[in-house]
């Protein structure tokens, strides 16, 4: 079996760990953008309700101004909804990227574990094939696990 360079595996592990950290940071930033977009939409909705016409206001200018502000707030609300959709898409992409980074990191960890297992098997075989005093030690180690 071909041996993997332990230094190379450690470098790969560090790179994958860094990529995983970056993906997690991007996911947190995407969550923040999404919550910010939702907060903006709630503020616009609150403002829109505050500008709504009320009973007892007969002044035409006030109704005209309220209609103008409601129209502008409706446009802002549409933009806020677009931002929410974009933030949700970014969050989904960031979550997918984090999942891929976790899988890559786990794959490198498995390679390192396999390499350590292979080294253990090689060391055990070397003890078994050693001269007589070491062979007795190897058999006792095999029995004890």
């Amino acid at each position: 079996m071909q041996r993997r360079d332990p230094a190379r595996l450690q470098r790969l592990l560090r790179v994958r760990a860094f990529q995983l950290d970056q993906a997690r940071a991007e996911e947190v930033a995407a969550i923040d953008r999404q919550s910010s977009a939702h907060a903006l939409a709630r503020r616009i909705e609150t403002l829109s309700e505050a500008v709504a016409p009320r009973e007892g206001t007969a002044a035409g200018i006030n109704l005209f101004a309220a209609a103008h502000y409601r129209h502008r707030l409706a446009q802002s609300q549409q933009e806020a909804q677009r931002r929410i959709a974009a933030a949700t898409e970014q969050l989904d992409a960031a979550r997918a990227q984090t999942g891929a980074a976790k899988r890559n990191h786990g794959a490198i960890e498995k390679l390192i574990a396999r390499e350590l297992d292979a080294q253990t098997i090689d060391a055990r075989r070397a003890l078994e094939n050693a001269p007589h005093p070491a062979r007795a030690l190897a058999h006792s180690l095999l029995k004890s696990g």
Side-chain angles (χ1 to χ4, degrees), residues 1 3 14 18 30 33 42-44 51 53 59-60 66 68 82 96-97 104-105 111 123 125 134 145:
M1 182 170 141
R3 293 281 169 232
R14 283 192 305 271
F18 180 71
R33 284 190 297 270
R42 284 191 300 274
R43 286 192 305 271
I44 291 171
V51 177
H68 172 75
R82 188 198 61 76
Q97 197 173 24
N104 288 342
H105 188 265
L111 283 176
R125 284 186 186 147

Side-chain angles (χ1 to χ4, degrees), residues 27-119:
E27 185 176 351
V28 168
I31 289 170
D32 186 44
R33 284 190 297 270
Q34 186 184 35
S35 66
S36 175
H38 278 290
L40 176 64
R42 284 191 300 274
R43 286 192 305 271
I44 291 171
E45 186 177 328
T46 303
L47 286 172
S48 181
E49 290 171 3
V51 177
R54 293 191 172 75
E55 211 174 298
T57 57
I61 294 178
N62 286 341
L63 288 176
F64 179 75
H68 172 75
Y69 287 127
R70 284 186 58 79
H71 176 70
R72 295 289 304 268
L73 287 170
Q75 289 176 340
S76 296
Q77 184 69 9
Q78 288 174 351
E79 176 62 20
Q81 293 302 321
R82 188 198 61 76
R83 285 183 183 181
I84 288 172
T88 301
E89 287 176 14
Q90 289 175 352
L91 179 59
D92 292 342
R95 284 183 175 153
Q97 197 173 24
T98 300
K102 283 180 186 177
R103 285 189 297 278
N104 288 342
H105 188 265
I108 297 298
E109 287 178 335
K110 286 179 185 176
L111 283 176
I112 290 172
R114 286 183 192 156
E115 184 63 26
L116 290 174
D117 288 343
Q119 289 175 0

